[in-house]
């Protein structure tokens, strides 16, 4: 199976963003979280101060609503670059 076809099948199985919980409630919670945690945690760990614009689930929730809404233990603020690199690493290792 080609990568493009495999990706399409994966996307079809996982459902739309709203079906996965990314709705208006999420948008409000995300905005609040980013106001309270405005810096990318990965950049900060590397000594850089970069504004965050993504709320990342540290452990993929895979539909688990408790994990999805675990703001204290499973959310982190990231910049787009770190989020993309982080997710690519996870996907390559089979973690996502």
């Amino acid at each position: 199976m080609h990568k493009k076809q495999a990706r399409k099948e994966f996307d079809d199985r996982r459902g739309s963003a709203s079906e996965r919980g990314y709705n208006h409630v999420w948008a409000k919670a995300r905005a609040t979280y980013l106001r309270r945690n405005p810096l990318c945690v990965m950049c900060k760990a590397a000594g850089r101060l970069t504004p965050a614009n993504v709320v990342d689930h540290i452990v993929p929730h895979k539909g688990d609503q408790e994990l999805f809404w675990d703001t204290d233990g499973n959310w982190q603020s990231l910049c787009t670059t770190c989020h993309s690199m982080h997710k690519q690493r996870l996907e390559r290792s089979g973690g996502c």
Side-chain angles (χ1 to χ4, degrees):
M1 181 180 313
H2 296 297
K3 284 185 180 183
K4 228 179 204 181
Q5 183 181 354
R7 185 68 187 172
K8 182 185 178 333
E9 288 177 11
F10 172 76
D11 286 341
D12 289 345
R13 280 193 312 271
R14 72 182 193 152
S16 70
S18 64
E19 289 170 336
R20 295 190 321 270
Y22 298 100
N23 53 27
H24 68 283
V25 177
W26 161 258
K28 186 176 178 180
R30 175 194 170 278
T32 299
Y33 189 85
L34 287 173
R35 270 194 307 280
R36 293 180 181 159
N37 303 277
L39 298 176
C40 174
V41 297
M42 290 183 171
C43 286
K44 191 174 177 183
R48 297 183 306 272
L49 299 179
T50 308
N53 55 2
V54 176
V55 174
D56 176 54
H57 290 95
I58 299 166
V59 176
H61 58 84
K62 297 182 181 178
D64 179 337
Q65 289 299 295
E66 188 173 331
L67 200 52
F68 184 93
W69 291 108
D70 181 5
T71 61
D72 293 327
N74 197 39
W75 287 16
Q76 64 181 348
S77 297
L78 297 176
C79 66
T80 301
T81 300
C82 286
H83 183 258
S84 295
M85 290 181 354
H86 173 69
K87 290 302 178 186
Q88 287 175 2
R89 274 195 312 269
L90 279 174
E91 287 175 5
R92 279 196 301 270
S93 70
C96 258

